[in-house]
Amino acid sequence: MNMKHKAFFLLVTGLAMASFAPCSNGNAETELLSLKNTYKNEFLIGVSVKDSQFMAKNPAETAFVKGQFNSITPENLLKWDAVHPQLGKYRFEESDRFIEFGNKNGMFIIGHTLVWHSQTADWVFKNAQGGDVDRETLLARMRDHIQTVVGRYKGRVRGWDVVNEIMEENGSLRKSPWQKIIGEEYIAKAFQFAHEADPTAELYYNDYRLEVPGKRKGAIALLRKLKAAGVTVTGVGLQGHYDLNWPKPQEVDETIADFGRLGLKVMITELDVDVLPSRPGGAGNADVSRKEAADPKLNPYKTALPEAMQQKLARRYAELFGVYLKHRGTLSRVTFWGLTDGDSWLDNFPIKGRTNYPLLFDRSYHAKPAYFAVIDAVPVAPVNSPSQPQPAVRR
Ligand code: 9MR
């Protein structure tokens, strides 16, 4: 066991003993091997969290999040339906605790997400008669939502996913209720309202499968237009919901370069690597889903991921981080979508109830080979060579 891996062993041993408090004294934290320390000269390393990871229900998890990551994104609790469930009614108890946790621990907090077609209740788009609300009313609702939410966390949330998943795969704009009722201008307006509410916050467009050339082309055209119109857009989030084969490293490379050329920061905002077989054919109802989950061909690793697959996943993460490191400077953050495999949305999508292994930590919080592949992707500078750039800390 080499030194850096040994440090991590101490971390997980501490967790298993349930007496884990790596941050309880100033020195302990710096002795641990962590993603955030390893990548501190490269880019931020973030994670999406569910409530238990910051509400101190589970101190070991909280310590884990603090020990490994320097940025956090709420997986669900800042979405419209969570904070703004009814007209004129906001609910901030959970998000306040989340922000407090992030601020207290000096983390770069991401607000996810302001304007999305999903997890937004129907009332937002409806009038009192149940028909579509008119354009001006919808714009006013959007302004109220953005200014209330962004305004509340002004100076505390460092970056917002202002618009989420707004493009179709063919590069046209998604025909969401926002688009249908307000028209394309809803995008510029969302950025404008967010900028007014917090001029210091970074503002992002976040989407999946931007590695697909047609979708990327549409996104680039849109971002050019927004920039030409003087709209404040800081960056673009590539969600990074990948599998073992897609996208190819070269496609990731080109995608980051393409957006970087627009003068935007690029982030990987929701990284995970699906290792399960894809569903044959289209969507099914819940019953079909349950049957599929029981089918060993579609849920082949119910009890454990075989070593050969662990290694394959590790190689996949190594190749992705190889590309990310090439773009240090343009790439400002890599955020994982979930802490452990047991937290992942991919256990229930696109088929409910499967056992997936998309992240760096297993269901017992142990680091997988993929974790060490990510750690080892950062080149170590030769010892005693002050002219070299400082390597990530290795203790
Ligand atoms: O991980 C989130 C899951 O818990 C929610 O049920 C789901 C609802 O749509 O949203 C998931 O997160 C999504 C993110 O907000 C936007 N990009 C895709 C993510 C995975 O679906």
Side-chain angles (χ1 to χ4, degrees), residues 21-32 37 395:
C23 304
S24 61
N25 84 44
N27 296 330
E29 186 185 7
T30 54
E31 282 161 16
L32 299 171
N37 281 341
R395 294 187 173 89

Side-chain angles (χ1 to χ4, degrees), residues 270-303:
E270 305 183 14
L271 183 60
D272 46 31
V273 177
D274 191 342
V275 302
L276 296 182
S278 53
R279 154 186 250 162
N285 61 33
D287 281 347
V288 174
S289 273
R290 270 200 291 277
K291 269 189 224 138
E292 286 174 321
D295 176 351
K297 280 201 295 301
L298 292 176
N299 191 15
Y301 315 121
K302 267 179 92 164
T303 49

Side-chain angles (χ1 to χ4, degrees), residues 249-361:
Q250 195 192 336
E251 294 171 295
V252 178
D253 185 34
E254 286 165 7
T255 304
I256 298 172
D258 280 354
F259 287 114
R261 269 193 289 274
L262 299 179
L264 294 168
K265 289 189 180 186
V266 181
M267 285 134 266
I268 311 298
T269 55
E270 305 183 14
L271 183 60
D272 46 31
V273 177
D274 191 342
V275 302
L276 296 182
S278 53
R279 154 186 250 162
N285 61 33
D287 281 347
V288 174
S289 273
R290 270 200 291 277
K291 269 189 224 138
E292 286 174 321
D295 176 351
K297 280 201 295 301
L298 292 176
N299 191 15
Y301 315 121
K302 267 179 92 164
T303 49
L305 191 65
E307 187 53 27
M309 286 299 291
Q310 291 279 16
Q311 295 305 330
K312 206 168 177 182
L313 181 68
R315 286 196 297 276
R316 178 65 166 145
Y317 268 109
E319 77 180 4
L320 288 171
F321 274 78
V323 177
Y324 299 159
L325 284 161
K326 186 178 154 196
H327 292 280
R328 66 202 287 277
T330 301
L331 202 74
S332 59
R333 170 171 55 94
V334 176
T335 291
F336 293 87
W337 205 241
L339 179 61
T340 73
D341 288 339
D343 297 319
S344 174
W345 71 295
L346 290 171
D347 289 323
N348 290 301
F349 185 90
I351 297 171
K352 279 201 173 73
R354 295 194 298 177
T355 310
N356 213 329
Y357 301 83
L359 296 165
L360 303 187
F361 300 106

Side-chain angles (χ1 to χ4, degrees), residues 50 75-76 79 112 116 118-119 164-165 239 241 270 337 345:
K50 298 183 196 291
E75 186 170 341
N76 288 302
K79 290 172 179 173
H112 175 81
W116 192 20
S118 179
Q119 286 180 284
N164 196 37
E165 303 178 358
Q239 291 188 356
H241 294 298
E270 305 183 14
W337 205 241
W345 71 295

Side-chain angles (χ1 to χ4, degrees), residues 170-231:
N170 66 8
S172 66
L173 285 179
R174 181 188 288 275
K175 286 161 202 58
S176 68
W178 298 109
Q179 163 73 12
K180 282 193 216 142
I181 298 171
I182 300 175
E184 181 174 339
E185 204 195 355
Y186 87 90
I187 299 166
K189 285 288 181 196
F191 280 100
Q192 179 199 320
F193 298 151
H195 188 55
E196 285 165 6
D198 186 353
T200 64
E202 296 190 347
L203 303 179
Y204 317 128
Y205 154 50
N206 190 48
D207 216 327
Y208 58 89
R209 290 176 67 80
L210 286 169
E211 297 79 2
V212 173
K215 187 163 184 173
R216 196 191 324 158
K217 200 165 156 215
I220 289 171
L222 172 74
L223 288 161
R224 282 217 175 97
K225 234 199 270 184
L226 290 170
K227 281 183 74 106
V231 176

